[in-house]
Amino acid sequence: MALKRRTRIEPTFSMASMTDVIFLLLIFFMITSTVVSPNSVKVLLPQGKNQTSTRPVARVVIDSDLNIYAAMGKDAERQVTADGLAAFMQECAAADGERYVALYADETVPYGEIVRVLDMANDNNLKMVLATRKPDAR
């Protein structure tokens, strides 16, 4: 005698509970992502009322062989020694007005040399501008 079942099992799957779980996970991650703050450094940038563009009136060039050249204004660059550079910085500081000195250094120049020039300028109360490439010959 063959017995038949009265209830049939359907081979379908209900996705309603799965969508509820995914919706709850989505809400959870959205809330937790707004609570987490990234580790960042807050920088207070200076606010200026007027923008002025000042061209450097003097320039110091350090080439890849660590030769130092200095020039004031539109004069031609002349090679100087470390003592000559210190005298050049004093000459720039003695000139009237606020002086800017542009420093052009080759990418192979060690940082120690650049810092030494920056220290000389700082000792003479000069403002330094670090430039990216050598100025065009005029």
Side-chain angles (χ1 to χ4, degrees):
M1 184 175 202
L3 297 175
K4 291 188 176 182
R5 289 189 178 177
R6 291 182 182 222
T7 59
R8 289 186 51 146
I9 299 175
E10 294 187 26
T12 60
F13 179 72
S14 175
M15 292 294 291
S17 61
M18 184 65 75
T19 56
D20 290 343
V21 169
I22 290 178
F23 183 67
L24 289 174
L25 284 174
L26 178 67
I27 291 173
F28 172 77
F29 285 121
M30 285 175 53
I31 291 173
T32 57
S33 67
T34 59
V35 173
V36 175
S37 62
N39 294 333
S40 61
V41 177
K42 294 187 179 187
V43 178
L44 297 176
L45 297 176
Q47 299 294 324
K49 293 181 181 169
N50 54 2
Q51 296 283 19
T52 59
S53 175
T54 305
R55 290 191 64 147
V57 294
R59 62 188 175 278
V60 176
V61 179
I62 305 174
D63 64 3
S64 59
D65 297 328
L66 300 181
N67 296 323
I68 302 173
Y69 301 93
M72 176 103 53
K74 294 188 179 191
D75 297 339
E77 295 172 351
R78 64 180 195 265
Q79 187 170 359
V80 295
T81 61
D83 295 332
L85 183 61
F88 175 76
M89 293 288 185
Q90 290 173 354
E91 180 185 335
C92 289
D96 59 341
E98 193 172 54
R99 292 292 175 170
Y100 287 85
V101 179
L103 175 62
Y104 300 93
D106 191 75
E107 62 185 14
T108 59
V109 174
Y111 287 126
E113 291 296 316
I114 295 171
V115 169
R116 188 171 58 87
V117 173
L118 292 174
D119 286 340
M120 281 185 200
N122 190 31
D123 292 342
N124 292 302
N125 294 325
L126 294 171
K127 296 189 180 197
M128 292 295 292
V129 177
L130 297 176
T132 56
R133 61 184 172 93
K134 190 174 177 183
D136 297 332
R138 293 180 185 141

